[in-house]
Amino acid sequence: MMVVYREYAEPTKLAAKIDVDGTQIFAVPQQGFAHAVVDPGKHKLAIRWPAASGTPGWQGDAEWQPGQTYYYQLRGTSGHGWYFQSSLDAAEEGLAHATLKSCCRLITEMKSNATLATAQPLEPAARRTIDLANITPEMLDSEVIAAIGSPDHVSSKSTGKKGIPFYFGSDTRRVSWSYSGVGYVVFSRNEYNGELRVFETKEDASAP
């Protein structure tokens, strides 16, 4: 099973077409996800955007084993309209589940056979036993997962800086990871390469 989710990727108003071995398998809109059963083995992955968008696509390789589920996050950045790029990045399962629960809807044509990707426990997450003191500014999201594990909830919002005339910095979006009963790790998303680095941590016993 291959699951592709898109919490936030520019250009925001266009659906990205996902190809496997040169054949489109689905298109993923903003805050959407899709899934497909794929053949084991080595394959070519690709992202295609509508030609009128001026956004280049992406190509990569995948190797899938039988009986496994593979999660990919679709990323896209515009670099203030000067540096478009996109990618499909393999995602850790816990992070993928937290993001799917928080942001993403199954694309309409797949709702009749939604199965694995939408199956989530109904009970609230147990209080985590982690120490946010282990998380320091500028850590990458992968380093945070290695240190304290995947979050229980994911959300993001604009910083508002993208609308400021002549602002060409990278801090245009913040991504917040919630750890139940402990608090939040807040990342700054780089406008040019989509990289997430820790901006701050917040202790909050009511974190979802």
Side-chain angles (χ1 to χ4, degrees):
M1 176 77 76
M2 172 189 182
V3 181
V4 176
Y5 66 94
R6 178 181 175 183
E7 190 270 337
Y8 182 86
E10 299 173 338
T12 58
K13 296 186 178 184
L14 297 175
K17 299 175 182 178
I18 308 301
D19 295 348
V20 175
D21 297 329
T23 300
Q24 181 179 332
I25 56 174
F26 43 62
V28 185
Q30 190 79 317
Q31 293 196 326
F33 75 93
H35 57 82
V37 175
V38 292
D39 292 329
K42 295 182 179 180
H43 297 274
K44 295 291 185 181
L45 293 178
I47 300 174
R48 288 184 296 116
W49 298 93
S53 72
T55 304
W58 172 90
Q59 293 183 344
D61 298 308
E63 184 171 0
W64 300 318
Q65 301 299 321
Q68 302 295 316
T69 299
Y70 296 88
Y71 295 90
Y72 294 90
Q73 182 171 9
L74 195 159
R75 300 179 186 270
T77 57
S78 67
H80 297 282
W82 297 98
Y83 189 67
F84 288 99
Q85 64 174 348
S86 57
S87 63
L88 277 182
D89 298 334
E92 191 270 339
E93 183 178 8
L95 175 60
H97 280 206
T99 307
L100 285 169
K101 287 188 295 184
S102 308
C103 86
C104 303
R105 66 192 184 280
L106 187 64
I107 61 176
T108 303
E109 58 265 33
M110 288 189 166
K111 287 184 177 178
S112 62
N113 68 339
T115 52
L116 177 66
T118 55
Q120 298 293 339
L122 296 178
E123 64 273 9
R127 191 184 193 284
R128 304 290 287 269
T129 54
I130 58 175
D131 187 357
L132 294 183
N134 294 325
I135 306 305
T136 57
E138 296 298 314
M139 286 178 71
L140 291 167
D141 52 343
S142 58
E143 295 174 323
V144 172
I145 290 177
I148 61 175
S150 302
D152 298 306
H153 186 276
V154 176
S155 62
S156 70
K157 64 179 181 180
S158 169
T159 63
K161 293 180 181 179
K162 197 166 185 175
I164 299 175
F166 306 110
Y167 175 78
F168 298 104
S170 64
D171 182 31
T172 60
R173 197 164 190 84
R174 298 280 167 80
V175 178
S176 180
W177 288 7
S178 167
Y179 290 84
S180 180
V182 178
Y184 302 87
V185 178
V186 181
F187 299 87
S188 175
R189 174 185 178 272
N190 189 294
E191 167 70 16
Y192 294 91
N193 60 20
E195 186 177 79
L196 297 181
R197 287 189 178 273
V198 173
F199 176 76
E200 63 180 351
T201 58
K202 301 178 181 178
E203 293 188 359
D204 185 349
S206 64

